[in-house]
Amino acid sequence: MSVRTAIHFRKSFFGEAERPVAEAHGMTASLFRYDSGIEAVRLSNRRGHLVVLPYYGQMVWDAVFDGVDLTMSNMFDMPRPASEIVGTYGCFAFHSGLLRNGCPGPQDSHLLHGEMPCAPMDSAGLEVGEDDEGPYMAVTGRREYVMGFGAHYVAKPRVVLRPGAALFDIAMAVENLSGAAMDLMYMCHVNFAFAEGARIVQPAPFTPEATAVRTVVPAHVPRSPAYDALLADLARDPAVMEVLDEPHRYDPEQVFYIRGLRTDEEGGTAVMMRRREGDAFHIAYSTRAFPKTVRWVLVNSDQKVCAFALPSTCEPEGYSAESAKGNVQTLAGGETRRFSVRLGYLTADEAEAEECAIRAL
């Protein structure tokens, strides 16, 4: 039986000084405002913390556990006001979609990764409670999207942290408030830090069929004969990317589509990036909710990221291309679709056990 207490935020609650707003079960939620004006919630337990931006697409800006920073290296010392994600590309995770997703192609007019990443939320709050898994704290939010002669939906994102845990949940619920069907394209875009020498552990082989390199390169990626030759090499043998021991290969970025992931009986799967130290970054999700998995790796002087598993309903080539491939889902009038990802940090012992579990799928 679930028991919860809800705290409804107001923007006036957020000041320059960080102040606690709730303490329970060995966890603390504190509120502050960045110098850029963007409000933030720090969820902390004895292992570490998350920084969530409750009114700004409910991005997870920062994630640190057991002294390990999980977030991509980037150029942004704080979140910046922007209308699209490239204007503040330094977060740990964001909600990509929902009507449109990915890199717009020549026939597309949508923003990079759609309307949700930087969306202003209508309301936000904190839940403190207990459920079947025990105590938790959760940042909650609500955003109603309505467009004359267009779509009308409500998005309800949620970030959940539990006592003593270095794994946490990022969730999204989308309800179509219209009587007409709407397009749905959603990706949980998680930007883990690049760890040189780390090894990707996935329940799929590193073959051209199962770990397919993207050969349709978007306009923002600089092309060269050397880059095109590398793509051709990776298309023949992606196994060289199992271990991240050649950072120069990821400038420009590399994108892979991971296909045919093995799952448990409920359709659940997991992927892990195991660092040289033996510990790991980890992500688990349902392939029934997320039929696609994308890998994005970029290493240059400004940004270092290994998004080793991006759970998604589609691939990231933009609306027109994904529609042609049959990857744009439909949400019927009045229907709600729910997504949830469990992710975070594993100690060396936990990583060893999880690697065995992934290989046993």
Side-chain angles (χ1 to χ4, degrees):
M1 182 177 180
S2 296
V3 178
R4 70 182 184 93
T5 298
I7 299 171
H8 301 283
F9 293 154
R10 293 183 179 180
K11 290 193 174 184
S12 60
F13 293 1
F14 298 79
E16 292 184 3
E18 184 169 341
R19 299 182 185 278
V21 69
E23 296 181 356
H25 309 293
M27 297 177 290
T28 301
S30 56
L31 311 183
F32 66 99
R33 189 189 304 271
Y34 284 100
D35 290 344
S36 59
I38 293 174
E39 299 85 359
V41 182
R42 189 186 309 274
L43 292 182
S44 303
N45 63 17
R46 64 177 177 81
R47 302 281 301 278
H49 72 265
L50 303 170
V51 174
V52 183
L53 310 183
Y55 291 105
Y56 197 34
Q58 201 176 108
M59 294 182 201
V60 180
W61 184 256
D62 194 22
V64 178
F65 289 96
D66 291 355
V68 178
D69 191 346
L70 279 59
T71 307
M72 66 178 286
S73 300
N74 62 85
M75 301 175 287
F76 295 86
D77 58 353
M78 68 181 75
R80 304 279 179 171
S83 59
E84 62 178 310
I85 190 63
V86 288
T88 187
Y89 216 119
C91 68
F92 172 74
F94 64 91
H95 296 286
S96 182
L98 295 162
L99 295 170
R100 301 290 184 265
N101 205 343
C103 303
Q107 297 178 319
D108 296 322
S109 59
H110 60 81
L111 295 173
L112 176 68
H113 294 312
E115 76 281 1
M116 189 65 206
C118 300
M121 305 300 291
D122 298 326
S123 61
L126 180 75
E127 274 186 18
V128 181
E130 294 188 46
D131 60 15
D132 292 342
E133 294 190 56
Y136 69 87
M137 278 188 173
V139 178
T140 61
R142 184 183 192 277
R143 189 221 181 189
E144 184 175 348
Y145 176 98
V146 58
M147 187 68 64
F149 312 104
H152 185 196
Y153 68 77
V154 61
K156 296 179 180 179
R158 179 181 175 92
V159 177
V160 183
L161 182 66
R162 297 180 184 275
L167 296 176
F168 53 95
D169 299 317
I170 297 177
M172 170 64 78
V174 187
E175 180 183 0
N176 183 0
L177 299 179
S178 172
M182 62 173 267
D183 293 329
L184 179 62
M185 304 174 73
Y186 175 63
M187 172 186 283
C188 187
H189 204 302
V190 184
N191 301 316
F192 279 103
F194 180 87
E196 186 171 351
R199 177 169 48 87
I200 304 296
V201 181
Q202 63 184 37
F206 283 85
T207 61
E209 297 75 25
T211 306
V213 67
R214 180 188 66 186
T215 55
V216 179
V217 180
H220 72 270
V221 177
R223 301 291 292 269
S224 70
Y227 184 66
D228 290 343
L230 175 59
L231 290 182
D233 289 344
L234 293 176
R236 287 189 296 268
D237 183 20
V240 296
M241 296 304 190
E242 181 176 0
V243 177
L244 306 175
D245 55 1
E246 298 179 287
H248 64 276
R249 287 183 177 267
Y250 303 105
D251 183 14
E253 67 185 26
Q254 295 292 346
V255 172
F256 298 86
Y257 303 134
I258 316 303
R259 294 167 176 161
L261 288 165
R262 298 188 300 276
T263 70
D264 61 22
E265 293 180 355
E266 287 75 42
T269 197
V271 185
M272 181 170 65
M273 183 172 75
R274 194 155 189 195
R275 304 197 313 159
R276 284 173 170 169
E277 294 83 353
D279 56 0
F281 302 153
H282 183 266
I283 188 165
Y285 51 95
S286 168
T287 58
R288 295 174 184 173
F290 294 106
K292 306 295 181 182
T293 297
V294 180
R295 177 167 300 144
W296 170 57
V297 191
L298 171 65
V299 180
N300 61 30
S301 60
D302 296 320
Q303 298 169 106
K304 296 178 177 62
V305 56
C306 184
F308 59 90
L310 299 173
S312 186
T313 65
C314 57
E315 293 172 349
E317 295 178 18
Y319 177 76
S320 297
E322 295 308 307
S323 181
K325 290 188 285 185
N327 288 343
V328 178
Q329 295 189 358
T330 298
L331 194 62
E335 184 182 359
T336 298
R337 197 75 50 82
R338 302 181 190 279
F339 304 92
S340 185
V341 173
R342 179 157 292 181
L343 69 166
Y345 175 77
L346 298 177
T347 65
D349 288 344
E350 291 168 338
E352 185 67 26
E354 183 57 27
E355 179 164 350
C356 293
I358 291 174
R359 299 202 183 282
L361 287 174

